Structures are given as C-alpha cells and as structure tokens.
Amino acid sequence: MKIGIVCYPTFGGSGVVATELGIELSKRGHEIHFITYNQPVRLELLSNNVHYHEVNVPEYPLFHYQPYELALSSKLVDMVKLHKIEILHVHYAIPHAYAAYMAKKMLQEEGIYVPIVTTLHGTDITLVGSHPFYKPAVTFSINKSDAVTAVSSSLKEDTLRLFDIKNEIHVVPNFIDLEKYNHNFTDCQRGMMANDSEKIITHISNLRPVKRVQDVISVFYNIQKEIPAKLMFIGEGPEKENIELQCQELGILDKVIFFGRSNEIDKILCFSDLFLLPSQTESFGLAALEAMASGVPVISSNTGGIPEVNKQGVSGYLSDVGDIDDMTTNALHILSDDTRLKTFKENARSESLKFDLHAIVPQYEAIYEDTLTKCLVL
Ligand code: GMT
C-alpha cells in the first residue's frame, strides 16, 4: 500500500507512535510518505520505502496566524496526486483530521478518492479538542473520517462521552519495538550515573502541567530520605524552571540529573530501577510502556489509559492522582528489597510484551485494507 502519514514531528507521544508505525510498515513492504512541517525526530533513516515531504507555511504580514491547515491540505493534495498515495493516516485530530478532510474533498473534485484513517492520541480529545473553540471542528473531523482509532479503551470512552460521535472507534493500543529495549542489565554503564548503593529513579515527559512533575520531585524527595537514590529527568517543557527551583528549595539538586530532550531514552532507561508517571491524565502512557520494555517498574497515577498498561502489583503500582504518600510507600516497597525489585523488573518486561509491535501493527494494516475495500464498494 502507499500510505501517507501526517503527525507532529516532535518528541510528543503521538509523533513517536506515528513515526515508529511508518518505519515498521515500510519494513513490511508498504511505501510510506510522512507529510509534516519538520522531519520527525525518530525518523533517522529515509529509504526507498520511506519518504518525507515538508509542509512549508510562507510568512505573510497580513496573517496574524499563519494558516498551517491550509498549507497542509494543499500539500496532501499534491503528494496524493504525485505519489499515488492510496490512504492517509492522520495522527492527532487537531488540525490533521480537519486538513485531511479538506484534502479529500479537493481530490474528489478531480475524481481521486483517498480515504482517511484518524488516530486519536489523548490531548487532542481530553485537553485541547473538547475546548468549545475547537469542539465542533473536532467532532466533524472525527465523524467524517473513514476509520477512527483510539490508543486505549479509556480514550475511546472519553471520546464518546465528550463528543457526539457517529463513527465506530477501534481501539488499537500503542506498541513498542521490543528489540530496541532488549538489554542485558549487566551491560549498562550504570556507574556513570550513580554509585552502587544508589537506586536510579527516572521520569520522561514534555514537562507540561498535565504531567504533574512537582509530584515526581515530591515522591523522589521522600524516597531519597529512606534509600540512597538519584533522579533522572528527561525532557524539556514549561515546568522545568519550577522543578529546578523546587529541587533547590528541597536541597536535592545534586541528586537530580536533568538530561533535556533525548533520542536515546532506551540507554537511560537501561540504568533505571523505577519510573515515575504521576500524570493528571494520560490516554495511554507510552513513556511507561517504554520503561516497562526496559524492565523498569512503574509508579503511576491510576488515571485514563494507564491501568491498561501498568498492572497493579505486577509491573508496578497505581495511586490516585496527587497521592504522594501512597506513591512513596509503593516506591519504597519495590526498592527496599532487591529480590522484590528483580521480580518487578521481570514482570514489567513481560507485561510490555503484550504491546509488541509485531502484534499491533497488523491491526492497523487490517484497518487500512478494510477501509480501502469499503471505499471501493461505495
Ligand atoms: O503526553 C503528551 O503530552 C504528548 C501527547 C501527544 O499527543 O503527543 O501524548 C498523548 O499520546 C501518547 C501516544 O498515543 C500517549 O501515550 C499519551 O498518554 C498521550 N498524553 C496524554 O493523554 C496526556
């Protein structure tokens, strides 16, 4: 199949999933065209099956806001015609599903039919999309898609609750390339990060308020009072200065390593003993799955789709949002006994196997085939 993929090219989860999906589909013989405003960060290798087409938005002083949707839909029209793309898979409803619908309509005028598969990722529904400013356009775009998928059952329920949806929503969970996370723990150069007696705690996110990064610091502060420990903070975002200040006030700056953005999280996770994800809301929690695939147990909140990934008492523990004490107790329970920690690490890795990309990517292929068949009949 010739598949056009539209996504955000940044470090956000939806862009990562879309990029990894495109790469895997290309390995399975499909021709993939990424259409976005920058080369996706995890798209290191372009090949004869993987192409990247940049969307440019010319600056014009009359425009207070530069019209990205317009430029994207025009680019989609051009790329579908030039490369004979058969199906468009858009990740994140805003504005991708909307722009794809416009492209589809323009192409129809020329007798070209290209169906649209929209994947909902979370914040496009729970935080941004349901805002009254966007809601009618998001509802319209979802209902006009030829197929809709959501990354968890929880996100599907949220979508049906928040929007008036007529379309069926298929749940296709996020996935992981387990090969990438297949470490032998003894090979990791753990000594570079901490001394032998210290446990390594990790958090990875875009440091937005929804991630509740202050809770990460509070839980870590409590842990390190009981057990020698270091905290690895990976990511950039608006809360960074606040948490640096919080660490300074608590007197733990020397125990926290800020890595900034990283394309090598597998290497950092390889050092880790515990992953913290206390988010306010999370449609899936890809970062938790990446940690689990590295054999890192997860202490998380019990919100959104996280319980579909992190299993209570098996791969880690889940607490109510903001319950720092419970998260601390659970973290100490895992970290205070090396045999128990080893069991949780093994469980985390084996729970992650459920999300092996070899099992999940064919679900997208089946949806593409089904959608193309239905559209041929119409
Ligand atoms: O987590 C973020 O803030 C980024 C956001 C995105 O859309 O890129 O992530 C969302 O999509 C990920 C991939 O499907 C999910 O794993 C995240 O849980 C989801 N984030 C939220 O729902 C807050």
Side-chain angles (χ1 to χ4, degrees):
M1 264 178 274
K2 293 186 177 197
I3 305 161
I5 294 185
V6 181
C7 63
Y8 282 105
T10 56
F11 281 89
S14 61
V16 168
V17 170
T19 308
E20 307 263 356
L21 174 62
I23 292 169
E24 181 58 19
L25 286 166
S26 76
K27 288 183 191 160
R28 295 167 71 91
H30 303 286
E31 185 179 305
I32 304 302
H33 295 265
F34 286 96
I35 303 156
T36 180
Y37 59 83
N38 261 329
Q39 182 153 339
V41 289
R42 287 216 188 162
L43 186 64
E44 281 151 11
L45 190 75
L46 295 173
S47 69
N48 58 346
N49 260 357
V50 183
H51 309 265
Y52 160 60
H53 311 290
E54 191 159 297
V55 180
N56 291 302
V57 189
E59 296 266 328
Y60 187 64
L62 176 70
F63 298 146
H64 185 59
Y65 303 104
Q66 305 304 318
Y68 180 64
E69 294 88 307
L70 221 62
L72 175 59
S73 50
S74 294
K75 188 79 182 181
L76 290 175
V77 168
D78 289 345
M79 292 304 103
V80 167
K81 282 162 62 180
L82 188 65
H83 298 286
K84 311 237 174 327
I85 291 170
E86 294 158 272
I87 192 160
L88 289 173
H89 188 174
V90 300
H91 292 259
Y92 210 87
I94 306 170
H96 299 155
Y98 191 73
Y101 177 73
M102 286 314 297
K104 176 177 156 173
K105 286 313 232 186
M106 286 188 265
L107 287 160
Q108 260 174 10
E109 293 288 314
E110 299 187 43
I112 300 166
Y113 193 84
V114 63
I116 299 163
V117 177
T118 297
T119 290
L120 308 174
H121 276 276
T123 44
D124 47 351
I125 296 301
T126 51
L127 288 185
V128 195
S130 54
H131 191 284
F133 291 172
Y134 296 122
K135 199 169 178 175
V138 173
T139 311
F140 176 83
S141 315
I142 295 174
N143 282 331
K144 290 292 178 186
S145 298
D146 297 284
V148 182
T149 76
V151 298
S152 64
S153 300
S154 154
L155 181 60
K156 174 179 175 173
E157 282 156 29
D158 283 341
T159 310
L160 295 175
R161 180 173 48 80
L162 293 165
F163 299 85
D164 183 16
I165 299 302
K166 313 281 183 225
N167 246 339
E168 187 184 350
I169 300 179
H170 306 267
V171 175
V172 182
N174 287 334
F175 54 85
I176 192 118
D177 180 357
L178 288 154
E179 301 283 296
K180 254 172 72 180
Y181 296 86
N182 209 357
H183 310 294
N184 177 348
F185 275 91
T186 54
D187 284 341
C188 296
Q189 292 166 293
R190 193 190 155 94
M192 289 192 318
M193 297 297 152
N195 62 45
D196 284 352
S197 65
E198 286 172 322
K199 294 287 186 263
I200 298 182
I201 323 290
T202 300
H203 172 78
I204 304 173
S205 78
N206 51 23
L207 312 191
R208 295 191 182 275
V210 69
K211 302 295 173 182
R212 294 184 68 97
V213 278
Q214 284 81 1
D215 291 3
V216 172
I217 303 295
S218 302
V219 173
F220 174 72
Y221 176 72
N222 291 343
I223 292 173
Q224 58 82 46
K225 282 199 289 189
E226 305 295 329
I227 291 177
K230 284 261 168 65
L231 175 63
M232 319 251 161
F233 234 100
I234 296 112
E236 289 291 339
E239 293 294 314
K240 186 152 182 198
E241 276 180 26
N242 288 341
I243 52 172
E244 280 170 337
L245 208 62
Q246 188 185 359
C247 291
Q248 195 176 25
E249 280 165 10
L250 292 168
I252 55 168
L253 255 185
D254 59 329
K255 294 183 180 178
V256 182
I257 302 168
F258 291 95
F259 281 98
R261 292 191 187 97
S262 171
N263 235 347
E264 298 193 310
I265 55 162
D266 49 329
K267 298 204 176 116
I268 296 163
L269 285 168
C270 162
F271 300 126
S272 307
D273 295 302
L274 198 70
F275 188 80
L276 300 180
L277 190 70
S279 305
Q280 181 72 35
T281 169
E282 202 71 64
S283 68
F284 183 88
L286 185 64
L289 176 58
E290 291 179 328
M292 286 161 57
S294 272
V296 184
V298 174
I299 294 294
S300 68
S301 51
N302 54 15
T303 181
I306 301 180
E308 294 171 48
V309 181
N310 185 21
K311 291 285 167 263
Q312 177 78 348
V314 180
S315 53
Y317 287 101
L318 301 93
S319 311
D320 290 340
V321 172
D323 194 340
I324 308 288
D325 289 345
D326 196 49
M327 290 182 197
T328 305
T329 306
N330 292 335
L332 290 172
H333 175 71
I334 294 177
L335 293 173
S336 59
D337 181 312
D338 280 346
T339 312
R340 194 182 296 135
L341 175 59
K342 187 168 175 284
T343 306
F344 270 93
K345 283 185 170 186
E346 286 163 2
N347 290 349
R349 172 78 185 174
S350 53
E351 280 297 315
S352 76
L353 303 184
K354 292 178 187 164
F355 301 95
D356 182 354
L357 94 171
H358 298 297
I360 311 291
V361 172
Q363 296 181 32
Y364 279 119
E365 285 180 304
I367 289 172
Y368 301 154
E369 275 157 21
D370 200 42
T371 309
L372 281 166
T373 313
K374 272 192 204 136
C375 292
L376 279 178
V377 174
L378 288 176

